[in-house]
Amino acid sequence: MTYTNFTVETDADGIALVTWDMPEKSMNVFTVEVMDEIEKIIDATVADEAVKGVVFTSGKSSFSGGADLTMIKSMFSMLAEEKAKDPQSAVQKLFDAAGRMSWLWRKIETNGKPWVSAINGTCMGGAFELSLACHGRVAANSKAVKIALPEVKVGIFPGAGGTQRVPRLANAQDALQMMTTGQSLTSQRAKAMGLVHQVVEPDQLIPAAKQMIKDGLKPVAPWDEKGFRVPGGGVWTPAAAQLFPAAPAILRRETAGNYPGALAILKCVYEGLQLPFDTALKVEQRYFTQILQTTEAFSMIRSLFVSMQELGKGARRPAGVPKTDIRKVGVVGAGFMGASIAYVTAAAGIPVVLIDRDQEAADKGKAHSEKLVSDQVGKGRMTKEDGEKLLSLVTPTPDYSTLSDVDLVVEAVFEDRAVKKAVIEQVEAVIPETAIFASNTSTLPITGLAENSRRPEQFIGVHFFSPVEKMMLTEVILGEKSGDKALAMALDFVGKIKKTPIVVNDTRGFFVNRCVFRYINEAYDMLAEGVPAVMIENAAKMAGMPVGPLSLNDEVAVDLSQKIMKASIADLGPNSVKPEHMALIDKMVDVLDRRGRKNGQGFYDYPPKPAKKSLWPGLKDLYPQKPASEVDVNVLKQRFLVTIALEAARTVEEGIVTDPREADVGSILGFGFAPYTGGTLSYIDGMGVKIFVDLAEKLAAHYGDHFKPTPLLKEMAANGETFYGRFDPYGDVEKAA
Ligand code: NAD
């Protein structure tokens, strides 16, 4: 029999080597067709008497990344369509679809012949669950092997047997840790946990897997044997009595109860370990069906899985501009940002010239790459040769003529119009006619900067976030005259350095910073109302924000906020900044010299390490304090999320953001907006625009006009619309199809 996605070769020992290698895909993923073929392979190998056992592996450099986008999307659209027809049978259909993979893996486990999974590279989600259902697991001793059940990160959980097999192989604490965090394991760690049987050199992978079968591997899972005992003894032991009551409390501390998928893992493990295996799988299937219907799962999968991949693959790239190969990049300004931009460019294998005003400054910029490389090599994350190769790609120099053959220039000089103007002129005098000029400005509108350019259609904003090495997001900003070629090349560059781009039109603060300022401003309001600072910070975290607003302000620097506020007043007039905000920040900077982490004192105090930072006690004396009992934490949480979401809605209304995926992905990757909501606009869509409008009006009555819902929101509420309906990101594609 032949298959589209697999080859099956049976050797003289009767061992069938099943190699998964999907045509025209860089990575194996589960589709309905793949699952159908796996079922056929199970049936065929069972029926073929010559087959004694099966080794399952991948023909690609990775094993598999798990489920396919289109399969997940179609499951949600099936659910929506069926729910409209008959809600009860829709849930039954979802239950059946959700269990397909789980029962297919169970079929492997109980087929009567031994199966061994040979894990050669990244093995995620459903692919590791398939491996867990095999009777043997061998992993390559290679850094390329990353084993994980990361479903919790997109709002769901390992629902194809993962929550049952992992705690029957590993101890319950490790199992819960692995699944509730979605962390990746190395081959060695997976072996130490009991999740794989052997770790062998990559070239020994298939022989070792075959040998397991030849050595008489029993085609029975441990839990299907009589007398099986869960590692550590199950849930009725003294150790479990310590673990299970504490686990939900720990989870709550870490996630503030915002992630139903994570909580479901605890339930599945605790309940499942007390049941026979097939019943336990059914319990898992029920919870999985329940979680799939939560707003959190829907929104997180859409933003963090589907949209993120689509944007990463260039969803906003203009059609018709051929893909460009970025062969050389110039970075002008080798300071804090430029040095990091040069590093990530070289790390992607692109030669980069790093220019500053003199050789010493340029060398200082390259020293940043040298430090990062030596840290990586020291930690064993990079080989010495790879490190040397990376560094050889960075050429520091003050000589602009080295830009004569670049494809793209990123400008990261001082945030000063005059300095940037001079640099634009100097750069354009030497770069090729075809090259693109990208400014990394954070506050200056691109349209204005482009007025200094001889070819504004090749001028664009590419806004990085600090620390550049870690932050996944890049904002690409279109000036009024930026052309398709500039956009396409900027996106090609961002893709090559493995960042996720969002494309926004020009505005003060672009998308991310506009939202971030709202977050911080709300904290200023709360401080002025006398809300204890500790409640402000904790409420933000309970709302799902990774960093409290005062802490965030300290990181970006309080005096930078002052500079930006003053610039707004100068450019837009006195009403653009609340006088109380300006007074607070002027006092912090000019009177108290509390500038943030950078001078060791801001909203927090930063004692020398190892002492931890703590909120500055003097904050209590700035405003008369309210007793904590008079502050409603739920309202604080709502204020943070609503003020940010309103700003995101305004950017859509003003035509700054045109695709809801970008507001959602941008808000999560840019400043960690409560990921369980799926992002700023999914937060609004998730609760319903009408409910959001009512909530915003209620907040406006108490906390200021900035909460007043905008005309667009009111109109959408009246019409029963959603952002993803009204600004359908697939609309044009569907119409064209
Ligand atoms: P920085 O002061 O650390 O670096 C600026 C560098 O530009 C300095 O090394 C300086 O010597 C160099 N420079 C100045 N004039 C020059 C010239 N004529 N030719 C060549 N080099 C010149 O500043 P930074 O924080 O790296 O910011 C750079 C740009 O990036 C600014 O536009 C800023 O708004 C933007 N930005 C900063 C951040 C951030 O977190 N710091 C984030 C996003 C964007």
Side-chain angles (χ1 to χ4, degrees):
M1 201 175 306
T2 57
Y3 306 93
T4 308
N5 302 291
F6 297 90
T7 55
V8 182
E9 294 161 89
T10 306
D11 67 13
D13 296 315
I15 299 174
L17 178 65
V18 176
T19 306
W20 185 9
D21 196 354
M22 296 174 83
E24 286 156 34
K25 289 236 185 230
S26 56
M27 197 186 254
N28 293 323
V29 286
F30 290 109
T31 60
V32 172
E33 185 188 56
V34 164
M35 293 206 283
D36 288 345
E37 291 196 342
I38 291 177
E39 183 140 34
K40 282 189 190 135
I41 291 170
I42 304 170
D43 291 340
T45 51
V46 167
D48 187 346
E49 286 198 358
V51 174
K52 303 289 176 248
V54 174
V55 169
F56 189 96
T57 194
S58 155
K60 304 208 185 281
S61 58
S62 58
F63 188 88
S64 160
D68 179 49
L69 279 183
T70 42
M71 190 170 85
I72 298 215
K73 267 174 139 176
S74 66
M75 197 150 84
F76 280 120
S77 41
M78 180 280 278
L79 179 65
E81 277 166 32
E82 293 292 328
K83 270 201 166 157
K85 282 190 251 158
D86 176 355
Q88 195 52 41
S89 81
V91 175
Q92 179 64 46
K93 282 189 180 147
L94 180 67
F95 178 76
D96 295 340
R100 166 102 207 265
M101 201 182 256
S102 185
W103 296 106
L104 191 55
W105 296 175
R106 184 67 176 145
K107 189 169 172 175
I108 293 176
E109 195 164 65
T110 56
N111 83 93
K113 293 184 181 176
W115 277 51
V116 178
S117 171
I119 303 169
N120 59 315
T122 296
C123 182
M124 299 274 176
F128 187 55
E129 291 180 296
L130 179 153
S131 302
L132 288 168
C134 292
H135 309 96
R137 284 168 293 285
V138 186
N141 180 20
S142 152
K143 285 210 179 71
V145 176
K146 291 195 185 92
I147 291 173
L149 294 174
E151 290 84 345
V152 75
K153 293 184 181 170
V154 290
I156 52 174
F157 68 84
T163 68
Q164 298 312 310
R165 292 190 178 90
V166 174
R168 282 174 171 80
L169 291 165
N171 76 59
Q173 189 168 353
D174 286 349
L176 291 181
Q177 168 87 6
M178 174 190 184
M179 292 187 287
T180 55
T181 61
Q183 65 187 189
S184 282
L185 309 175
T186 59
S187 300
Q188 281 75 10
R189 175 77 186 125
K191 177 150 187 288
M193 279 174 68
L195 299 179
V196 303
H197 298 97
Q198 287 183 35
V199 177
V200 299
E201 289 311 305
D203 60 349
Q204 290 305 305
L205 190 65
I206 303 303
K210 288 186 170 181
Q211 193 60 44
M212 275 184 99
I213 295 173
K214 286 191 241 169
D215 289 344
L217 180 68
K218 231 175 150 186
V220 182
W223 36 92
D224 288 326
E225 300 257 33
K226 243 189 143 146
F228 168 73
R229 282 176 66 82
V230 171
V235 303
W236 302 112
T237 59
Q242 303 262 331
L243 173 68
F244 282 101
I250 294 169
L251 187 67
R252 201 173 170 82
R253 185 188 66 197
E254 301 298 321
T255 63
N258 289 324
Y259 295 85
L263 188 61
I265 294 172
L266 303 191
K267 295 180 186 174
C268 286
V269 172
Y270 185 72
E271 293 173 30
L273 286 184
Q274 302 176 57
L275 296 167
F277 196 73
D278 285 314
T279 315
L281 283 183
K282 206 155 213 172
V283 167
E284 182 192 74
Q285 190 179 349
R286 290 216 174 99
Y287 278 123
F288 195 49
T289 309
Q290 206 179 68
I291 292 300
L292 282 174
Q293 294 174 79
T294 59
T295 309
E296 289 85 351
F298 175 77
S299 307
M300 284 178 82
I301 289 178
R302 180 169 64 190
S303 295
L304 291 168
F305 194 61
V306 179
S307 302
M308 210 153 98
Q309 283 199 33
E310 286 171 349
L311 296 178
K313 284 181 186 163
R316 292 292 312 280
R317 200 179 179 284
V321 182
K323 195 134 180 105
T324 42
D325 186 21
I326 312 278
R327 284 155 311 185
K328 185 172 169 188
V329 165
V331 174
V332 184
F336 178 70
M337 293 301 284
S340 292
I341 297 166
Y343 174 80
V344 295
T345 306
I350 308 172
V352 46
V353 279
L354 180 57
I355 293 194
D356 210 296
R357 289 174 294 183
D358 51 47
Q359 188 65 45
E360 198 187 339
D363 288 342
K364 201 167 154 228
K366 181 166 176 178
H368 176 70
S369 291
E370 286 158 357
K371 162 126 191 18
L372 290 178
V373 164
S374 107
D375 287 352
Q376 304 266 68
V377 172
K379 286 181 188 153
R381 295 200 188 128
M382 189 184 272
T383 63
K384 206 161 165 268
E385 300 72 56
D386 285 349
E388 277 163 11
K389 200 165 138 208
L390 190 158
L391 291 176
S392 74
L393 293 174
V394 183
T395 309
T397 172
D399 179 5
Y400 278 73
S401 72
T402 52
L403 296 172
S404 64
D405 57 349
V406 297
D407 296 309
L408 182 135
V409 170
V410 181
E411 169 276 307
V413 297
F414 298 141
E415 189 74 339
D416 179 305
R417 282 196 180 93
V419 176
K420 290 203 191 282
K421 177 175 189 292
V423 166
I424 294 165
E425 286 165 1
Q426 243 176 313
V427 168
E428 285 191 351
V430 282
I431 56 175
E433 277 307 307
T434 49
I436 300 301
F437 189 104
S439 174
N440 180 45
T441 176
S442 34
T443 54
L444 304 171
I446 294 300
T447 305
L449 283 181
E451 281 165 13
N452 303 306
S453 165
R454 280 193 291 113
R455 38 197 187 172
E457 67 290 347
Q458 281 164 241
F459 194 101
I460 198 161
V462 174
H463 182 218
F464 287 88
F465 295 89
S466 148
V468 177
E469 296 81 15
K470 288 214 180 103
M471 295 293 285
M472 302 266 298
L473 187 74
T474 303
E475 263 178 316
V476 174
I477 300 113
L478 292 170
E480 253 164 40
K481 295 189 178 157
S482 306
D484 275 1
K485 189 171 162 238
L487 175 59
M489 271 181 80
L491 291 177
D492 291 345
F493 171 60
V494 172
K496 205 136 184 224
I497 57 172
K498 300 199 175 63
K499 306 277 176 207
T500 304
I502 61 169
V503 181
V504 302
N505 288 315
D506 206 8
T507 177
R508 215 183 172 74
F510 314 129
F511 171 72
V512 168
N513 284 344
R514 273 182 65 162
C515 293
V516 169
F517 290 138
R518 288 288 175 182
Y519 180 46
I520 292 175
N521 283 351
E522 203 56 32
Y524 296 163
D525 275 352
M526 290 176 185
L527 277 177
E529 289 161 23
V531 177
V534 66
M535 290 186 82
I536 298 174
E537 295 290 87
N538 283 343
K541 283 190 227 149
M542 286 163 75
M545 302 299 291
V547 182
L550 301 176
S551 177
L552 181 64
N553 202 167
D554 271 2
E555 296 299 327
V556 293
V558 186
D559 55 336
L560 181 64
S561 295
Q562 185 191 41
K563 224 171 134 186
I564 292 170
M565 287 156 95
K566 283 189 173 162
S568 289
I569 293 173
D571 291 356
L572 307 172
N575 291 339
S576 59
V577 174
K578 266 193 181 177
E580 311 88 84
H581 293 179
M582 199 68 246
L584 167 65
I585 296 308
D586 281 345
K587 183 160 189 184
M588 287 289 285
V589 178
D590 301 336
V591 181
L592 301 162
D593 193 32
R594 303 197 69 93
R595 292 163 192 266
R597 185 189 277 279
K598 69 181 194 185
N599 78 333
Q601 47 178 21
F603 290 104
Y604 283 74
D605 280 327
Y606 298 85
K609 280 183 180 171
K612 283 195 177 151
K613 69 174 187 181
S614 57
L615 275 160
W616 172 48
L619 280 173
K620 290 196 188 80
D621 304 323
L622 290 184
Y623 303 98
Q625 296 290 284
K626 269 191 184 169
S629 57
E630 276 179 28
V631 181
D632 185 337
V633 171
N634 280 328
V635 173
L636 300 185
K637 284 162 61 181
Q638 283 171 343
R639 285 171 66 179
F640 284 128
L641 299 188
V642 170
T643 191
I644 299 170
L646 273 167
E647 190 64 17
R650 282 183 206 109
T651 64
V652 174
E653 192 154 1
E654 292 164 21
I656 303 300
V657 169
T658 55
D659 183 328
R661 291 175 295 184
E662 295 179 308
D664 276 345
V665 171
S667 61
I668 298 178
L669 296 188
F671 55 96
F673 182 84
Y676 64 91
T677 62
T680 41
L681 297 183
S682 284
Y683 170 66
I684 302 177
D685 275 4
M687 78 169 79
V689 179
K690 170 138 189 9
I691 294 175
F692 179 82
V693 164
D694 292 346
L695 176 60
E697 271 166 354
K698 221 168 82 191
L699 293 173
H702 288 94
Y703 303 105
D705 285 353
H706 61 291
F707 279 112
K708 278 194 174 156
T710 65
L712 171 71
L713 280 164
K714 285 195 195 157
E715 187 188 315
M716 288 172 62
N719 297 340
E721 288 175 297
T722 60
F723 279 97
Y724 278 82
R726 180 161 175 152
F727 302 94
D728 182 0
Y730 309 105
D732 290 344
V733 180
E734 273 157 19
K735 269 176 233 144

